[in-house]
Amino acid sequence: MDLNNTVLTGKKLRGAEKMARIPIKVVPTETTPKKPEWIRTKISQPEEVQIIKDLLRQQKLHTVCEEAACPNLPQCFGSGTATFMIMGDICTRRCPFCDVAHGRPHVLDTNEPKHLAETVKNLNLKYVVITSVDRDDLKDGGAQHFADCIREIREISPNTLIEILVPDFRGRADIALKILSQNPPDVFNHNIETVPRLYKAMRPGSNYQHSLDLLKKFKHYCPDIPTKCGLMVGLGEVEAEVIVLLNDLKDYQVDYVTIGQYLQPSKSHAPIHRFVALQEFKHYQIHGERLAFKNIWSAPLVRSSYFADRQYHGEAVPNPYMSE
């Protein structure tokens, strides 16, 4: 973790402060491009959204839905679903596409797994997604904390399916996977995010091959547990590169895939290179189906945890995303 000594524990760096020390500098955009008509979200059941937010604050929990400014938050919260973000809301990485704050994280809250399990039970969730910030400051990258959350949820909600969306556990993958294999989730998810050519700019501190290896190694430890991987388009890749990436995911035994449009969180973040046309999303969908993934969702507003239960159960990507 490369943090300036003047950064205080718990201080959140966002926007230009967060991007100041990444390898390839982001030039702030003066204007943001207008979204095409097929990228639209609507607010549904605002009272249900507020109930979930109030419950999360009571239990001192965070969601990636809120921290990463996900465009699907109203839909998911309105239907009683959320993706929980454990180990705090400060990340040790500085990915320029991500809106989660960077800085020195607080020590782990040992009560968080219990609070998370209580919230899952109170919301009567049948399927829960748990993700985290990167915690390069921890010897196991936070793997034991994931395992503790899985254990606590299963103790009081044994019928709830659990998907974990993990970081890359850089330098700690073997120990992390050994820990998680002893108390595995129902789905193991790790996002590869973009094509290898763009890694230095978009995922500083990460490695494309390492992410592929992480997914395959987990499958070695737990061959009966499905793996899942997500990526964004519109960052500067070309279609042929995405096709090769999908081939790689199949070669590395990934079961579920999600592809969505990158949306710039602020003018200080990585700019949108282009809005990908619906037809191109369909090309990826068709190619993924030919590769025989268990399920692939490719559409503008798809995110790795968006209606994850529906994808797990084999449903098609929700309309109107694939409409002409």
Side-chain angles (χ1 to χ4, degrees):
M1 179 173 58
D2 180 24
L3 288 176
N4 190 292
N5 292 330
T6 61
V7 177
L8 301 176
T9 298
K11 181 181 178 181
K12 297 182 180 182
L13 302 181
R14 293 187 183 273
E17 278 189 306
K18 175 179 174 179
M19 306 306 164
R21 300 178 66 187
I22 59 176
I24 298 179
K25 302 304 178 186
V26 173
V27 178
T29 52
E30 295 182 3
T31 60
T32 54
K34 183 180 179 181
K35 295 178 183 177
E37 60 181 13
W38 61 81
I39 299 182
R40 294 288 184 268
T41 58
K42 61 180 180 179
I43 298 176
S44 58
Q45 301 179 350
E47 64 284 350
E48 186 70 21
V49 169
Q50 194 57 50
I51 288 172
I52 292 179
K53 286 187 175 183
D54 291 344
L55 180 59
L56 291 168
R57 298 298 86 78
Q58 290 170 17
Q59 293 282 36
K60 299 180 181 179
L61 295 173
H62 304 278
T63 67
V64 74
C65 321
E66 296 171 281
E67 294 298 328
C70 179
N72 298 314
L73 185 150
Q75 275 189 294
C76 292
F77 273 26
S79 63
T81 63
T83 298
F84 298 97
M85 189 170 72
I86 59 174
M87 294 187 267
D89 58 352
I90 297 178
C91 187
T92 57
R93 306 274 179 100
R94 301 182 184 88
C95 297
F97 61 81
C98 180
D99 203 31
V100 175
H102 167 71
R104 289 184 182 274
H106 292 288
V107 297
L108 292 181
D109 178 2
T110 56
N111 291 319
E112 184 175 50
K114 181 180 179 181
H115 290 161
L116 174 58
E118 291 171 348
T119 300
V120 169
K121 184 174 179 63
N122 289 339
L123 289 174
N124 193 31
L125 299 180
K126 302 303 181 187
Y127 192 106
V128 61
V129 182
I130 307 167
T131 189
S132 78
V133 291
D134 278 282
R135 291 297 301 259
D136 295 322
D137 57 314
L138 302 176
K139 291 182 179 179
D140 66 353
Q144 187 60 56
H145 202 72
F146 268 107
D148 292 343
C149 290
I150 294 170
R151 186 191 67 251
E152 292 285 351
I153 292 171
R154 289 201 167 129
E155 282 187 4
I156 61 175
S157 301
N159 295 323
T160 297
L161 295 173
I162 303 171
E163 176 179 322
I164 59 172
L165 172 55
V166 302
D168 63 10
F169 299 120
R170 181 181 63 193
R172 305 162 179 83
D174 289 334
I175 186 173
L177 292 177
K178 287 178 182 177
I179 291 170
L180 290 171
S181 66
Q182 294 169 8
N183 196 9
D186 296 287
V187 178
F188 180 88
N189 188 351
H190 171 65
N191 284 343
I192 206 158
E193 305 293 11
T194 189
V195 300
R197 178 174 58 84
L198 298 178
Y199 252 60
K200 186 175 181 180
M202 296 302 157
R203 292 197 71 192
S206 300
N207 178 274
Y208 179 81
Q209 186 62 50
H210 174 79
S211 286
L212 287 174
D213 290 340
L214 182 75
L215 289 157
K216 191 169 185 177
K217 284 180 180 179
F218 179 82
K219 182 74 79 170
H220 173 75
Y221 280 108
C222 301
D224 296 329
I225 304 297
T227 53
K228 180 175 174 179
C229 188
L231 62 140
M232 302 169 291
V233 289
L235 280 166
E237 75 296 322
V238 298
E239 186 170 345
E241 290 176 302
V242 178
I243 296 298
V244 171
L245 191 159
L246 290 175
N247 294 343
D248 286 345
L249 294 182
K250 185 61 180 181
D251 289 343
Y252 280 74
Q253 303 175 24
V254 171
D255 298 293
Y256 296 95
V257 176
T258 56
I259 306 176
Q261 169 72 50
Y262 167 65
L263 296 176
Q264 187 179 16
S266 79
K267 294 178 181 179
S268 296
H269 285 78
I272 296 174
H273 185 267
R274 65 190 174 112
F275 285 107
V276 176
L278 292 177
Q279 191 61 40
E280 186 173 329
F281 279 107
K282 283 190 175 182
H283 289 167
Y284 301 144
Q285 181 80 31
I286 292 168
H287 186 71
E289 290 169 354
R290 287 174 179 162
L291 292 174
F293 292 111
K294 285 188 176 179
N295 204 347
I296 178 171
W297 280 10
S298 174
L301 290 182
V302 164
R303 298 296 183 267
S304 60
S305 57
Y306 175 62
F307 289 136
D309 56 334
R310 298 187 188 182
Q311 187 184 31
Y312 175 80
H313 290 299
E315 293 186 27
V317 61
N319 287 327
Y321 297 129
M322 295 307 294
S323 62
E324 293 288 355

